[in-house]
Amino acid sequence: MKKCFALSAVFLILAASSCQQRMFGVDEATWTTLSEPEREKVIDGYNQRKELALINEQKEREKELENERHRQEVEAQTAPFYAAADAISSICEKTSPKDRKQADRIQALTNKIADHTVTIGDTKFEVSPFTKMSDAWIRGQRVQVLKNDNELFYTVKIKNIDNGETVSARKK
């Protein structure tokens, strides 16, 4: 019984010490030892860090909006060319335009830090995390899937016909 009580007391002390109040990024015990000029410096530093974080967050949002605007602009500019190419392909080939469009164009694209996925037709491809995909990869672009003999884990290469970039991938 005494051991149980001692263990619970130690646990309570550890829990209480880990929940110390922080004032402007400094724990309360340190805050009480600071002089007034030191406290002002701590407050100024804290405010500067918060301001920089807000500025960086705003820049990131602006960059995302600019990338989305650029993607939409490119998509709008290339839409007539894709329509003309599809019309010519449907005349020259035996496959239907719908089947041709699904087989050769990016249907969906996920370009996150740890997850690069390209969907072509009904097939999802996982792109190597070591491959840098530029912002030029957008939905609707024509791509070509090639065999990749150089790579053991990523068995295909996806070539972006519009910009010439190539990425290594595997079926997901």
Side-chain angles (χ1 to χ4, degrees):
M1 183 73 168
K2 289 182 183 180
K3 289 182 181 179
C4 182
F5 179 73
L7 281 174
S8 61
V10 168
F11 178 72
L12 182 63
I13 291 170
L14 287 174
S17 66
S18 67
C19 297
Q20 285 187 350
Q21 292 286 346
R22 297 188 67 80
M23 303 184 75
F24 300 103
V26 177
D27 62 77
E28 190 175 11
T30 305
W31 180 260
T32 57
T33 62
L34 296 176
S35 66
E36 193 62 34
E38 292 172 327
R39 287 182 181 182
E40 288 177 11
K41 286 182 182 179
V42 168
I43 292 170
D44 289 341
Y46 178 81
N47 289 336
Q48 287 176 352
R49 285 190 304 274
K50 288 291 186 181
E51 188 175 319
L52 284 174
L54 287 173
I55 290 170
N56 289 336
E57 192 176 303
Q58 178 67 24
K59 284 181 181 178
E60 185 66 28
R61 279 195 301 260
E62 289 173 0
K63 182 179 176 184
E64 288 174 9
L65 285 173
E66 182 62 32
N67 286 343
E68 180 63 21
R69 273 187 245 133
H70 176 69
R71 186 194 63 75
Q72 289 175 351
E73 185 177 293
V74 168
E75 198 171 271
Q77 289 174 350
T78 58
F81 298 113
Y82 289 141
D86 286 341
I88 293 170
S89 294
S90 66
I91 293 169
C92 297
E93 294 181 16
K94 294 179 182 177
T95 58
S96 70
K98 182 180 178 184
D99 293 340
R100 179 77 179 144
K101 182 177 180 181
Q102 288 179 346
D104 291 336
R105 298 207 187 272
I106 297 174
Q107 300 299 314
L109 183 69
T110 305
N111 194 2
K112 296 180 183 168
I113 293 173
D115 179 32
H116 297 294
T117 305
V118 177
T119 305
I120 302 170
D122 293 333
T123 309
K124 286 189 177 188
F125 293 95
E126 177 184 2
V127 177
S128 168
F130 302 110
T131 302
K132 173 113 173 80
M133 291 180 72
S134 71
D135 293 333
W137 289 77
I138 59 173
R139 197 174 132 261
Q141 283 186 316
R142 288 187 56 110
V143 292
Q144 185 177 11
V145 179
L146 308 166
K147 187 173 182 180
N148 188 2
D149 294 325
N150 300 335
E151 189 75 34
L152 178 65
F153 297 111
Y154 297 95
T155 57
V156 297
K157 283 190 175 187
I158 301 173
K159 181 178 181 183
N160 189 329
I161 294 173
D162 291 339
N163 66 10
E165 288 184 37
T166 304
V167 295
S168 298
R170 65 177 170 214
K171 286 186 179 180
K172 198 167 186 180

